[in-house]
Amino acid sequence: MASNKSVEEMRTKQVVNCLYRHPEASLKLICFPWAGGGSNHFAKWGKHFHHSIEVSSIRLPGRESRTKEPFATTMDQIIAEISNALLPILQDIPFAFFGHSMGSNIAFMTALHLKENYKLQPVHLFVSSANPPHKNKFSSYPSVFSMSEEQILQFIVNAGGTPKMILENKELLEIFLPIFKADVHLLQNFTFVKPAKTLSCDITCFSGTEEKASEIEGTQHTRNISLQELTIAKGELGCLQERRKSPFPTTVTTMSYLGNKVLLYCDGRRIQIFQRVIIVLVQVHLSSR
């Protein structure tokens, strides 16, 4: 029989996808994918990051090498599984989380769970293209399982982010739709309960230039947070160094959130720029230790 340790390692490999390992890394960046997404997109970021940062991505049940496993049905189930898989690899090294869309909520809730139960938290939390957890826009929609195929396709188009090659390819769509429905169903049934403890790490929020301001302002009823805002034009990152001396924005307004500082970057929905911004902020953190 396999030892408990080997079973633990096998489970971690199932849940945590790391394509480019750096044993000498000073920090681990754990990425959380969007609704309907897999782990490989973010795992490939590891090829482009400096060797001081090891990149991994979360692989949720029901997809990729876990296709034979049933989809998760509750956020608590997801958080518990991810936390158990991450604990063996996060005990002795600083780590940061990055979540996109649905992954933002999962990353945030995982960070809270680790802090509340294991006194661990990321040194930085990056989230993008998502409402704050207490403003669940999916809960107001009809159940995704009650929608016709035409309605669900329109829902996907309105949500944005799904490549046309998937929507226009019947075979790919047959693979994608069950995963997407399961993920949206999970979000529709998620109710955020304000925790006893909040995160003390900095939170960087990425938002597209076409995001609605009302969605961003929805965080103002919570407390003790400052918002620093910077707009980055499509494809531009030089402004991070050219337009100011500090690697942080200088325009400051007041905003509330469940954590410490929030930095909002508007990037025209181009996820590629995230990698370089993350590197800048993580390196600033590492150099200040």
Side-chain angles (χ1 to χ4, degrees):
M1 292 181 63
S3 65
N4 290 337
K5 184 176 182 180
S6 62
V7 171
E8 185 179 80
E9 291 174 348
M10 288 174 59
R11 194 57 184 162
T12 295
K13 288 181 179 179
Q14 283 182 304
V15 178
V16 184
N17 182 6
C18 183
L19 297 178
Y20 301 91
R21 298 194 177 277
H22 298 297
E24 75 284 8
S26 303
L27 180 137
K28 290 182 183 290
L29 175 65
I30 312 297
C31 301
F32 297 72
W34 56 92
S39 64
N40 285 330
H41 179 88
F42 289 137
K44 291 177 181 177
W45 278 14
K47 182 178 180 180
H48 307 289
F49 273 59
H50 188 268
H51 60 77
S52 62
I53 302 173
E54 183 179 88
V55 180
S56 298
S57 183
I58 296 300
R59 183 187 292 115
L60 299 177
R63 65 210 76 195
E64 298 176 336
S65 62
R66 304 183 66 189
T67 52
K68 294 183 179 180
E69 298 180 41
F71 296 114
T73 56
T74 68
M75 185 67 76
D76 287 343
Q77 181 184 349
I78 287 280
I79 302 312
E81 178 186 66
I82 293 174
S83 297
N84 289 335
L86 289 177
L87 279 172
I89 63 173
L90 298 184
Q91 297 285 350
D92 303 314
I93 186 172
F95 61 96
F97 284 172
F98 170 80
H100 181 65
S101 191
M102 178 186 78
S104 296
N105 285 318
I106 297 177
F108 182 79
M109 296 305 297
T110 301
L112 281 177
H113 182 80
L114 289 173
K115 181 170 184 178
E116 289 179 339
N117 294 279
Y118 303 101
K119 297 181 179 180
L120 288 173
Q121 72 169 339
V123 296
H124 206 112
L125 173 63
F126 300 92
V127 295
S128 71
S129 298
N131 285 347
H134 62 277
K135 289 181 67 68
N136 184 1
K137 64 180 180 180
F138 290 99
S139 62
S140 62
Y141 297 145
S143 169
V144 70
F145 291 117
S146 69
M147 295 182 186
S148 65
E149 183 172 332
E150 182 179 351
Q151 288 174 321
I152 190 67
L153 288 176
Q154 189 58 54
F155 181 87
I156 293 171
V157 170
N158 292 342
T162 302
K164 285 186 177 181
M165 63 173 288
I166 293 179
L167 299 177
E168 296 173 355
N169 185 305
K170 186 177 180 180
E171 292 182 358
L172 291 177
L173 201 58
E174 287 179 353
I175 298 172
F176 173 74
L177 279 181
I179 299 173
F180 181 81
K181 286 181 179 180
D183 288 349
V184 173
H185 179 69
L186 186 149
L187 290 172
Q188 288 183 319
N189 289 282
F190 168 60
T191 300
F192 177 71
V193 178
K194 189 174 180 180
K197 295 181 179 180
T198 58
L199 299 176
S200 56
C201 63
D202 287 351
I203 303 175
T204 298
C205 301
F206 298 92
S207 178
T209 53
E210 297 177 7
E211 294 287 353
K212 296 178 182 178
S214 60
E215 295 177 354
I216 298 169
E217 292 165 359
T219 61
Q220 289 181 343
H221 76 277
T222 53
R223 354 174 205 181
N224 299 330
I225 209 59
S226 64
L227 173 79
Q228 302 182 10
E229 183 172 354
L230 171 69
T231 297
I232 302 177
K234 287 186 177 181
E236 292 185 9
L237 188 68
C239 58
L240 278 174
Q241 300 300 333
E242 294 170 5
R243 298 182 187 176
R244 61 182 190 277
K245 296 179 181 179
S246 166
F248 294 99
T250 54
T251 303
V252 180
T253 57
T254 301
M255 177 176 262
S256 300
Y257 201 73
L258 298 172
N260 188 14
K261 288 186 296 184
V262 175
L263 308 176
L264 171 62
Y265 288 87
C266 300
D267 77 330
R269 298 182 186 276
R270 294 187 63 177
I271 203 167
Q272 293 86 350
I273 202 172
F274 291 4
Q275 300 173 66
R276 297 177 67 188
V277 177
I278 287 171
I279 288 175
V280 169
L281 293 176
V282 166
Q283 288 179 339
V284 167
H285 169 79
L286 292 177
S287 65
S288 65
R289 294 178 64 207

